[in-house]
Amino acid sequence: MTSDRFAGKNAVVTGAASGIGRAVALRLATEGATVLCVDRNVDGLVDTLDEIGSSHFYVTADLGRAVDCSVVISTALDHFANQIDVLVNTAAVLVREPLLEHSRATWEHTLDINLRAPFRLTRDAVASMILRKVKGAIVNVSSTEAVLPLRGHAAYTASKGAISMLTKAAAFETAPHGIRVNAVAPGVTATGMNAGLRQTDPGRWDEMLSGTPLGRNAQPAEIAAVIAFLASDDASFVTGALVTADGGWTLH
């Protein structure tokens, strides 16, 4: 990328230690943003910083904890001279358990990471943007599972449906301040979240790919490109949108 769409802008990216989050951090950094990378995997964060450059920052955080979400925003404000321009909520967990075996602990943990953390981070980032009159952008990562569930994914599916509606609710309330909130719904994407499935159950992976009209999975960089568009001024009149990037998965 040679674009400077994010020159002079500050971005917070969660889940930045791997997968889509790392790809987003790289994309935004390449296009000129200064990036605060957030994850609980410190080794992964170090690898991400090695890739995107020493002018960026990272903070380790367990986003399932409210206090850690607060630390993320306070750290960002300290590093960024009190200005956050972009927040990308990428961090998520997926625990595969059949519905009748789905534990309460799994349910709560999934919602803590996939829904409560984006809510907390969005709320605090928006408060900062309004205070400083920043016309910022927030992008959440939903999923095609918000509308088409897969077996054994009850908590994940519920969390992604909720994040899609949180996106719309936040967009409606922040629009008068010039703040845009959108979401991208990836389809089958080759990330660490499904690495085990690809290795241990290739038949099911092939079944998922067979439901994708483009006939292949996405790479994280392809999803990051959509996220970067939504976060940029190129999408200046787009808010409350759920952009599907699924190779056609939801066409049928």
Side-chain angles (χ1 to χ4, degrees):
M1 293 296 104
T2 57
S3 169
D4 60 353
R5 290 188 296 183
F6 297 97
K9 293 191 175 183
N10 304 315
V12 178
V13 180
T14 72
S18 62
I20 293 172
R22 176 179 287 178
V24 170
L26 176 61
R27 179 76 183 231
L28 297 184
T30 302
E31 294 198 31
T34 302
V35 183
L36 175 65
C37 299
V38 182
D39 208 291
R40 61 185 176 184
N41 178 355
V42 65
D43 291 337
L45 286 172
V46 170
D47 289 344
T48 298
L49 263 291
D50 286 344
E51 188 169 354
I52 69 175
S54 59
S55 61
H56 306 278
F57 311 93
Y58 75 81
V59 58
T60 55
D62 178 356
L63 296 179
R65 292 159 37 93
V67 65
D68 281 26
C69 292
S70 297
V71 167
V72 167
I73 297 301
S74 63
T75 301
L77 293 174
D78 287 344
H79 277 304
F80 295 153
N82 293 322
Q83 180 164 323
I84 299 171
D85 299 287
V86 174
L87 167 65
V88 182
N89 287 307
T90 302
V93 295
L94 167 59
V95 180
R96 295 177 177 87
E97 292 179 349
L99 180 64
L100 296 182
E101 300 171 16
H102 215 308
S103 69
R104 175 69 178 270
T106 295
W107 176 268
E108 292 295 340
H109 178 62
T110 302
L111 293 184
D112 280 343
I113 302 296
N114 295 9
L115 180 60
R116 294 186 181 104
F119 164 72
R120 290 165 177 151
L121 294 169
T122 295
R123 179 190 58 195
D124 292 350
V126 164
S128 170
M129 292 172 181
I130 292 173
L131 180 64
R132 293 166 180 82
K133 295 180 171 55
V134 174
K135 294 183 178 181
I138 297 170
V139 184
N140 296 317
V141 175
S142 181
S143 169
T144 53
E145 290 198 53
V147 294
L148 290 176
L150 293 175
R151 298 187 304 274
H153 294 188
Y156 181 81
T157 295
S159 71
K160 292 304 183 179
I163 200 70
S164 295
M165 290 310 300
L166 174 62
T167 296
K168 292 179 179 295
F172 190 61
E173 292 196 38
T174 60
H177 302 281
I179 299 168
R180 298 181 300 103
V181 187
N182 293 289
V184 60
V188 183
T189 306
T191 66
M193 182 179 286
N194 51 50
L197 179 66
R198 298 199 304 273
Q199 295 168 4
T200 63
D201 195 351
R204 185 171 179 190
W205 183 254
D206 289 342
E207 178 186 346
M208 293 169 64
L209 293 183
S210 70
T212 304
L214 283 183
R216 64 174 179 85
N217 58 253
Q219 293 300 319
E222 294 178 287
I223 308 303
V226 181
I227 292 170
F229 164 72
L230 291 173
S232 77
D233 289 342
D234 286 342
S236 58
F237 203 58
V238 181
T239 195
L242 178 61
V243 178
T244 302
D246 67 350
W249 174 276
T250 52
L251 289 175
H252 59 89

